[in-house]
Amino acid sequence: MGHGKEVKTRPDPKVEIQEKGEIFFFYRPKVDKEEAHGPDDVQRMYIVLRPEHSADRAVEEKQAPDSGKEGRKHHHQGGAGDGGSGGGASKEEGHQGGHGKEEVNIEEQPLLRLVVMGKKSLPDPAKHSRPYWGYVELVTTKLQDIKDALKEEKYSTATRGQRRRPAARALGEGVYRILRHEPGGRGRRPHTHLVYKLELPTRGAREPQEAMNVEPEASFLVQVKNPDAPSGGAGRGGGDGSFRGLQSKRRAAFPAHLQGAFGSRRFAPADPPDLLNYEGCELLLIAASDDVEEELGLELEAEVGEGSQGEEQQRAAECSDLVKMFGEVADVKPLLSGGWD
């Protein structure tokens, strides 16, 4: 549906748009479950970010194509269990983080990031809760890689025999911005926001969305973990203490000019957003607001036209990029109906 547009509603709101694009939300039911009927049935929550070119940002820097899960997958030429599943089977836990660099003209080819949220939800944007930990699982220019990561997978284990990892379910589709905010005031440093506005579901029931805190619009502060810093306290960012960060070999290995953004700090703003283009990039999402306009003086405008709820839903489904790109591998019922499976 495109990346929409933004309107500044206050003079000089001190925000600078660094990246714009489309955002997609997915969840995966637990292993061997046919359906999910509530958050307890959810195994993982995913965010897919697809940056789009703008007048001043047509080229992004990403990890080298032979690194991370992207490189492992292509080395195995798409074979079974080659790392494209994204499901976390034990033999895939050892892949290296992204490293090296290449430039991608996002006007000519897609750039896609698959982010895993550790707590299987977003932080509640209306509450100042503890930061939620996540990490970049996959960065690729090939749509099929993301489709492979979301599709159903069957695999064998030594103790439980054949297991089935269900296909992901589509949870939301919208537009996003990554922006630098300079709040002003003594001692207040510039920081990075991820803001989004949903296009689907449009209106009506939103049971899975509400259960996983995917609000119609929201703003989060984004901080990236220094991969050279020790991981002892990373669990505090997970929201429940169960996440201690990725193993060192799975962390991103940023080029010197990006690693330099951290200095001696454990965390730094996602500035530039190229930091998110490396598999193994660990990040924190911190609830900021569920009213982007009030907080930042910026209003995101989606591309779903006015009409009755049924008309909106049908029109949106017909032009939905999520449905077009992932509908053959991810169940879109929760996206279109606002209900569980």
Side-chain angles (χ1 to χ4, degrees), residues 72-94:
R72 181 185 176 103
K73 175 180 174 59
H74 298 160
H75 175 74
H76 286 274
Q77 296 296 309
D82 61 3
S85 69
S90 58
K91 61 186 175 183
E92 295 306 327
E93 292 302 317

Side-chain angles (χ1 to χ4, degrees), residues 178-237:
I178 294 177
L179 55 89
R180 180 189 294 120
H181 182 210
E182 298 188 29
R186 190 172 181 177
R188 303 187 68 186
R189 295 181 177 180
H191 47 259
T192 300
H193 285 257
L194 168 67
V195 300
Y196 74 83
K197 186 169 186 176
L198 290 184
E199 297 172 304
L200 279 173
T202 51
R203 293 184 289 176
R206 300 180 59 258
E207 295 177 52
Q209 290 80 10
E210 290 177 0
M212 285 183 269
N213 294 327
V214 181
E215 297 295 328
E217 66 173 51
S219 168
F220 302 98
L221 301 184
V222 186
Q223 293 186 337
V224 174
K225 183 178 181 294
N226 183 345
D228 290 344
S231 292
R236 291 195 296 273

Side-chain angles (χ1 to χ4, degrees), residues 73-125:
K73 175 180 174 59
H74 298 160
H75 175 74
H76 286 274
Q77 296 296 309
D82 61 3
S85 69
S90 58
K91 61 186 175 183
E92 295 306 327
E93 292 302 317
H95 73 80
Q96 303 288 325
H99 57 78
K101 63 179 181 179
E102 71 166 343
E103 290 189 344
V104 176
N105 187 326
I106 56 176
E107 188 174 6
E108 297 176 354
Q109 60 181 323
L111 176 63
L112 297 150
R113 311 176 184 122
L114 180 70
V115 177
V116 175
M117 290 305 300
K119 208 176 180 204
K120 300 182 287 188
S121 73
L122 299 177
D124 186 339

Side-chain angles (χ1 to χ4, degrees), residues 98 255 290 296:
D290 59 355
L296 298 171

